[in-house]
Amino acid sequence: MSTLVIVESPTKARTIRNFLPSTYRVEASMGHVRDLPSSAEEIPEAVKGEKWAQLGVNVEADFEPLYVIPKDKKKIVKELKDALKDATELILATDEDREGESISWHLLQILKPKVPIKRMVFHEITREAIRDALTHCRDIDNRVVQAQETRRILDRLVGYTLSPLLWKKIAWGLSAGRVQSVAVRLLVRRERERRAFRQGSYWDLKALLEKGKISFDAKLVTVGNVKVANGSDFDENTGQIIAGRRVLLLNEEQARALLSRIQNKPWTVTNLEERPVTRKPSPPFTTSTLQQEANRKLRLGARETMRIAQSLYERGFITYMRTDSVHLSEQAIVAARSCVQELYGSEYLSPQPRKYTTKSKGAQEAHEAIRPAGSTFRTPQQTGLDGIDFRLYDLIWKRTVASQMADARQTHVTVLTQVEDAGFRSSGKRIDFPGFLRAYVEGSDDPNAALEDQEVILPALKVGDKPNCKDLEAVGHETQPPARYTEASLVKMLESEGVGRPSTYASIIGTIVDRGYAKLIANALIPTFTAFAVTTLLETHFPDLVDTGFTSRMEQTLDEIATGEAKWLPYLQKFYTGETGLATQVKEQESQIDAKVARTVVLENITAKVCIGKFGAYLESESEEGLVKASIPQDLTPADLDPEQVEFLLKQKTEGPEKLGLHPETGEPIYVLIGSYGPYVQLGDVSETNKKPKRASLPKGTDKDSVTLDMAVSLLTLPRLLGTHPETGAKVQANLGMYGPYVVHDQGKVGKDYRSIKPPDDVLTIELDRALEMLAQPKAVRGSSKTATPLKELGAHPESGEPLNVYDGRYGPYVKHGDINASLSKDESVENFTLQRALELLATKEAAGGKSSSKSKKSTKTTAAKSETATEKTAAKKTTAKKTETAAKKTTTKKAATATATKKKTT
């Protein structure tokens, strides 16, 4: 007698095998084995002629979905069928959420088992949990399957009905989505707010006071009993004080006059207030809060967070990572409280076990919050994890343990001081008992350091005291526009609005970036001009589909279908084929949408039109000579496009580039230009004999107006040959790349060794000795202060003799040889990884032409100038849109070099 258990992934299968008797065979379905067709090739011949076939849903026959087995899953299905032949029982053990329930149902439809069937669910992969789940199997929940199927059909109807309309009216390859389009609109609305924002300026005074050899800060808050204006008093749309506010707005002259008047005058404490504050710990993580905190603390994107969490779950380290619930089981509460007792002492335990409940009505994804697995919690150090796996587990462990700790007790202190008629305020904070903050502080990796940072100690003061003024200065401020969304803040907004499900946010954000609707720069999601065009079209013609309230109500209906409160078929019929249904709307609106208007983005204060073309966004303006078109640099965001930049780009097209002067040696003219990939300098004119003049990008942060002739001449010498390396005889150069200035030790086939050039060193002046000194230092891991220390040393490569090592990369462990990087698969552990296995992975990667590290980066390290040449050449050859899209993806986008100096920021 044997039992076949089917799970989704090989890692999960391997972990579960350890907890089941030998008569159980565990196999992986590798996710979904059946889905709606993703391309015309997958549509069966029998229905290819049907009007609805491309949609994959027969809208004329009760929305019957057309399910197909993709090519890459046919082998897996055959293997599962073969395994089932020898089984006397089938257990479907896919994840416990809607997606997992759906996968089990599809497996049942395909395998058609003639043996007894059970549905096994668990939220952690431990021996206890698996053995317990075996004794509590159930049937497949058809209502949950129905809800998931409805969601899938709904997403297909929206995407496959609206996307072709966007191809016709705006640009090929665009997509619309039920949740995706709402998320894009949120980004666009914030960018519109930034465009509408008007900056306000104000001044105040800052003092450094001292009492009993303890210094503390004081800030001006009143003059003559009238409140002094600060950033919160300004109207973002006008840059002026909000109407009706009775405040004193100081300019620089008035602030300095006040400073002179009260300088050297006596200070007196007029009031002192102490206010006790109690802080409670946050509940354990849900999918959404884990994504948010991993983004803030670890700088991980939502997709990467979920990938790592999935791996931790499948290896038995944490509970199921797709959940809306903050609930902890009794077992978990006991385990967390035991950790607190052992590590921090009984005084740090909350007096009673804390029990958290989920407020959201739609919370249904799992039974528990995300927590360490098991009846006892392994500390991060006990897990044997390393790298980013360790850091994410550490985050989950700390948050769970902290949830059972005592409240933090603090005292907030406010001191008011007076000098002449000017009132100043000092704020302090004293931590009387850290409580849960000993283990976990939101946004901080080091709780102890965070506690020190949070405390602001004021000296012992009382009313009537006269502190000394050690320093007094006038400080200018400028109000700042609304901050762009980060992945964390977008996830928080989507969840608060009830749009989509947290388990889908990672893929939604990934799609937004992949489809060119947003760029992720410095952790901010910046919408593109294409996003503006698509959002405007949908707002104008299909307002419900980008309305957060409408989308939220759709989620509620899907939840009601899962509980049996609503029927799926009437809902789909009303949504799609009713009088106001989507299909009807698209037919009515398509003829009313002017493609030229749809491709045009209207921005206030910009006289020229912003249009969406095959090669990206461009400006279009009428002049005496006719219609003028000019490409908009890819790093120029919609919020930052101003009339001056528009004028420069158009002038560059009509009057030619701005000439800096003549090259002192060749006599050729040197120009400053702005291309699709940023500002650059060019030597000479484009002609039949000189089709590719030498060009050089400006260093990041360099404004084109600050470029001098001498600087341009120096830039055009790049790459600079500094000399030869004394040990290898190979050349050492300095140059500019996509990550900024660098020096490189070029040993040809042996490889290249790079080091970034940081201030005060300069790419234009650095000498060989300094470059050699930098090259002698250990290479830093990108995005980290750590050196690239191997996770495991495997030995020497049999051909080259170079050491082969396993390193920790952003996307997990990988092995490196020369220019080739090969990632370890999810189910391969670093501990058991061998030299032979490394050679196999590297050989496979090389055979596939995959030089994923240095060489691929070299190919993308195209300067703005070279990229501009490539763009012109591509445009001249009229390359197809598809090829252009591919080329654009391969080209590195430069950051805008038009940053202006700003005064101190005020939140």
Side-chain angles (χ1 to χ4, degrees):
M1 179 178 177
S2 66
T3 299
L4 174 62
V5 181
I6 302 179
V7 297
E8 294 98 328
S9 78
T11 303
K12 190 175 178 182
R14 198 161 33 254
T15 308
I16 288 175
R17 280 190 198 113
N18 297 327
F19 308 135
L20 293 175
S22 59
T23 54
Y24 285 73
R25 177 177 176 180
V26 187
E27 297 294 340
S29 71
M30 305 299 289
H32 277 281
V33 290
R34 199 168 70 153
D35 199 2
L36 302 176
S38 61
S39 66
E41 291 178 357
E42 290 186 351
I43 299 173
E45 287 294 334
V47 296
K48 270 197 174 176
E50 302 291 341
K51 289 187 297 182
W52 54 267
Q54 292 283 0
L55 195 59
V57 179
N58 191 345
V59 295
E60 299 167 0
D62 291 344
F63 292 86
E64 182 181 352
L66 175 64
Y67 289 123
V68 297
I69 300 173
K71 279 184 181 179
D72 62 341
K73 291 300 175 72
K74 288 184 178 178
K75 182 181 176 183
I76 293 166
V77 170
K78 183 181 182 304
E79 290 172 351
L80 292 175
K81 284 182 176 180
D82 291 342
L84 186 58
K85 290 176 184 177
D86 301 325
T88 54
E89 183 183 46
L90 172 63
I91 295 181
L92 300 168
T94 52
D95 290 340
E96 61 178 331
D97 61 359
R98 289 175 180 168
E99 199 78 16
E101 204 74 13
S102 178
I103 292 173
S104 281
W105 179 80
H106 279 289
L107 284 166
L108 204 59
Q109 302 302 307
I110 291 173
L111 299 178
K112 296 180 173 57
K114 293 181 174 60
V115 297
I117 306 148
K118 293 179 181 177
R119 173 79 170 105
M120 184 171 81
V121 293
F122 42 85
H123 66 277
E124 62 182 351
I125 305 177
T126 60
R127 186 178 301 278
E128 290 175 328
I130 298 302
R131 292 294 176 93
D132 183 64
L134 273 175
T135 62
H136 294 88
C137 290
R138 59 169 174 79
D139 294 329
I140 288 176
D141 190 332
N142 286 313
R143 292 187 304 187
V144 172
V145 172
Q146 195 87 77
Q148 178 60 27
E149 196 171 22
T150 306
R151 181 189 298 275
R152 184 74 186 94
I153 292 170
L154 200 59
D155 287 341
R156 175 57 68 98
L157 294 176
V158 173
Y160 274 48
T161 303
L162 281 180
S163 297
L165 182 66
L166 298 180
W167 303 345
K168 294 176 188 176
K169 302 301 182 180
I170 299 178
W172 175 260
L174 296 178
S175 68
R178 184 176 61 89
V179 180
Q180 169 196 314
S181 296
V182 177
V184 171
R185 187 191 184 208
L186 289 172
L187 300 182
V188 169
R189 284 173 62 181
R190 182 59 55 86
E191 200 74 0
R192 286 172 179 163
E193 291 170 3
R194 289 176 67 88
R195 277 201 65 83
F197 173 79
R198 296 295 175 264
Q199 197 171 64
S201 299
Y202 62 97
W203 285 73
D204 58 21
L205 302 184
K206 182 180 177 182
L208 179 66
L209 306 180
E210 185 183 64
K211 179 69 166 47
K213 295 186 178 180
I214 298 177
S215 299
F216 60 102
D217 292 329
K219 182 182 176 183
L220 178 70
V221 289
T222 60
V223 175
N225 294 321
V226 178
K227 179 180 177 290
V228 174
N230 59 34
S232 64
D233 295 311
F234 284 83
D235 185 330
E236 292 184 345
N237 298 314
T238 65
Q240 305 299 314
I241 296 295
I242 296 171
R245 289 278 172 95
R246 184 176 176 268
V247 292
L248 175 64
L249 177 61
L250 295 177
N251 58 30
E252 182 177 5
E253 183 181 350
Q254 292 168 323
R256 295 196 183 282
L258 176 62
L259 185 150
S260 298
R261 181 161 62 83
I262 65 174
Q263 190 91 45
N264 301 322
K265 297 295 173 66
W267 293 64
T268 306
V269 175
T270 57
N271 192 28
L272 189 146
E273 179 185 344
E274 291 195 356
R275 181 168 54 92
V277 175
T278 300
R279 284 183 58 187
K280 296 183 181 297
S282 299
F285 282 128
T286 62
T287 300
S288 166
T289 53
L290 177 64
Q291 290 174 2
Q292 292 172 47
E293 190 70 343
N295 185 251
R296 285 192 292 259
K297 279 191 176 183
L298 308 181
R299 283 295 183 262
L300 290 175
R303 273 197 292 196
E304 185 68 358
T305 298
M306 294 309 291
R307 184 192 70 78
I308 299 164
Q310 174 106 24
S311 173
L312 290 174
Y313 163 66
E314 290 178 350
R315 289 182 286 162
F317 289 107
I318 64 171
T319 54
Y320 193 53
M321 68 293 159
R322 292 189 179 93
T323 173
D324 290 348
S325 175
V326 293
H327 169 70
L328 286 178
S329 66
E330 289 298 327
Q331 179 192 68
I333 290 173
V334 170
R337 293 179 70 81
S338 175
C339 285
V340 177
Q341 180 77 45
E342 290 176 16
L343 296 172
Y344 303 105
S346 56
E347 70 271 25
Y348 280 91
L349 264 177
S350 61
Q352 299 296 325
R354 296 185 189 272
K355 296 188 178 182
Y356 299 90
T357 56
T358 306
K359 295 178 182 177
S360 169
K361 178 189 173 185
Q364 43 70 39
E365 295 291 354
H367 304 299
E368 270 200 273
I370 303 170
R371 63 166 176 86
S375 56
T376 57
F377 292 168
R378 286 172 284 183
T379 66
Q381 292 73 23
Q382 291 170 338
T383 61
L385 293 168
D386 51 24
I388 198 63
D389 288 352
F390 175 90
R391 297 186 71 194
L392 192 66
Y393 179 86
D394 182 63
L395 196 64
I396 294 166
W397 183 90
K398 284 177 178 174
R399 176 92 163 210
T400 308
V401 170
S403 73
Q404 293 301 316
M405 294 179 72
D407 295 343
R409 298 193 303 274
Q410 305 170 350
T411 299
H412 290 193
V413 184
T414 302
V415 175
L416 298 181
T417 49
Q418 194 78 17
V419 51
E420 297 279 297
D421 62 343
F424 285 73
R425 179 190 292 127
S426 302
S427 298
K429 182 164 69 174
R430 184 175 67 245
I431 296 177
D432 302 314
F433 176 65
F436 72 91
L437 295 174
R438 274 291 306 278
Y440 180 83
V441 180
E442 266 193 294
S444 171
D445 286 325
D446 184 350
N448 289 325
L451 287 175
E452 292 177 12
D453 292 342
Q454 286 194 0
E455 279 203 308
V456 181
I457 302 300
L458 298 179
L461 293 166
K462 60 181 184 295
V463 174
D465 281 352
K466 297 188 178 298
N468 296 322
C469 181
K470 304 291 290 182
D471 188 36
L472 184 64
E473 62 174 334
V475 182
H477 308 269
E478 289 179 344
T479 56
Q480 299 301 310
R484 291 185 173 106
Y485 283 105
T486 61
E487 288 197 44
S489 59
L490 181 61
V491 164
K492 186 175 182 179
M493 174 60 78
L494 290 171
E495 186 180 39
S496 67
E497 293 289 336
V499 175
R501 278 281 167 260
S503 58
T504 65
Y505 293 158
S507 61
I508 288 164
I509 292 173
T511 301
I512 289 170
V513 175
D514 294 344
R515 293 299 175 102
Y517 287 124
K519 295 175 183 176
L520 188 58
I521 300 175
N523 208 37
L525 287 162
I526 305 175
T528 61
F529 290 101
T530 300
F532 268 65
V534 169
T535 298
T536 301
L537 184 150
L538 295 177
E539 285 175 331
T540 305
H541 300 280
F542 308 97
D544 281 350
L545 291 178
V546 287
D547 178 68
T548 52
F550 180 81
T551 308
S552 176
R553 289 192 294 275
M554 291 171 76
E555 292 295 344
Q556 291 174 19
T557 303
L558 290 169
D559 290 339
E560 289 164 3
I561 292 170
T563 58
E565 299 172 61
K567 300 297 182 184
W568 69 278
L569 185 55
Y571 179 70
L572 286 177
Q573 289 170 334
K574 181 181 178 182
F575 173 80
Y576 193 72
T577 56
E579 289 184 11
T580 58
L582 180 60
T584 308
Q585 288 185 54
V586 170
K587 282 182 183 177
E588 291 176 352
Q589 296 289 333
E590 184 170 352
S591 60
Q592 299 177 28
I593 300 173
D594 185 317
K596 179 63 178 174
V597 174
R599 293 189 188 108
T600 303
V601 178
V602 178
L603 300 174
E604 64 277 8
N605 303 326
I606 303 296
T607 54
K609 294 178 180 177
V610 176
C611 304
I612 309 298
K614 284 184 179 180
F615 307 104
Y618 64 92
L619 295 168
E620 189 176 275
S621 179
E622 291 285 350
S623 71
E624 295 178 359
E625 299 173 359
L627 194 64
V628 180
K629 297 180 180 180
S631 295
I632 297 175
Q634 290 193 5
D635 55 357
L636 191 55
T637 67
D640 297 329
L641 183 66
D642 57 36
E644 291 75 20
Q645 290 164 325
V646 170
E647 183 183 1
F648 180 87
L649 291 168
L650 293 173
K651 185 178 177 182
Q652 182 176 285
K653 278 288 182 180
T654 56
E655 301 178 13
E658 178 183 339
K659 189 162 91 172
L660 279 175
L662 301 178
H663 194 283
E665 295 176 9
T666 67
E668 293 175 279
I670 295 178
Y671 303 104
V672 179
L673 303 97
I674 293 183
S676 297
Y677 302 96
Y680 62 95
V681 293
Q682 174 179 301
L683 177 63
D685 297 294
V686 179
S687 65
E688 283 298 319
T689 57
N690 187 25
K691 294 182 179 180
K692 293 183 179 179
K694 185 171 178 59
R695 292 168 171 173
S697 301
L698 300 190
K700 290 179 182 179
T702 303
D703 182 44
K704 63 177 180 59
D705 295 328
S706 67
V707 180
T708 63
L709 180 61
D710 289 342
M711 182 190 295
V713 170
S714 297
L715 287 170
L716 289 165
T717 65
L718 297 176
R720 291 174 56 223
L721 178 63
L722 305 181
T724 57
H725 197 287
E727 295 177 9
T728 65
K731 60 185 178 182
V732 177
Q733 292 178 307
N735 202 1
L736 279 172
M738 67 177 291
Y739 298 114
Y742 64 89
V743 293
V744 58
H745 176 205
D746 185 356
Q747 298 184 69
K749 291 182 179 180
V750 175
K752 295 184 179 182
D753 192 18
Y754 295 87
R755 294 293 183 279
S756 295
I757 297 175
K758 305 290 184 186
D761 293 314
D762 190 308
V763 68
L764 300 178
T765 58
I766 193 168
E767 298 295 339
L768 179 62
D769 288 346
R770 175 58 181 148
L772 294 173
E773 185 181 330
M774 291 166 62
L775 289 164
Q777 297 299 315
K779 194 170 187 176
V781 178
R782 188 172 304 286
S784 169
S785 59
K786 298 177 182 177
T787 56
T789 304
L791 296 177
K792 185 176 183 180
E793 296 180 357
L794 303 173
H797 193 284
E799 295 177 8
S800 68
E802 289 184 41
L804 281 184
N805 301 320
V806 181
Y807 295 94
D808 184 23
R810 182 177 179 185
Y811 301 103
Y814 67 95
V815 62
K816 176 181 176 62
H817 178 238
D819 290 338
I820 302 174
N821 286 1
S823 296
L824 278 65
S825 63
K826 288 183 182 179
D827 54 349
E828 288 182 300
S829 69
V830 175
E831 295 78 15
N832 300 325
F833 196 70
T834 63
L835 176 61
Q836 184 58 40
R837 179 61 181 146
L839 295 172
E840 290 172 7
L841 286 179
L842 291 166
T844 303
K845 192 66 177 282
E846 188 169 18
K851 300 198 173 183
S852 64
S853 180
S854 305
K855 287 195 177 180
S856 67
K857 288 177 182 175
K858 281 187 284 182
S859 66
T860 58
K861 285 186 180 180
T862 311
T863 61
K866 289 180 180 178
S867 299
E868 184 64 15
T869 304
T871 304
E872 290 172 359
K873 186 175 180 180
T874 305
K877 288 186 177 181
K878 296 185 178 179
T879 312
T880 63
K882 187 173 181 180
K883 287 182 179 178
T884 305
E885 185 181 15
T886 305
K889 286 179 181 175
K890 288 183 180 177
T891 310
T892 302
T893 305
K894 292 271 183 177
K895 287 186 180 178
T898 54
T900 54
T902 57
K903 295 178 183 177
K904 291 184 179 179
K905 291 184 178 180
T906 303
T907 56

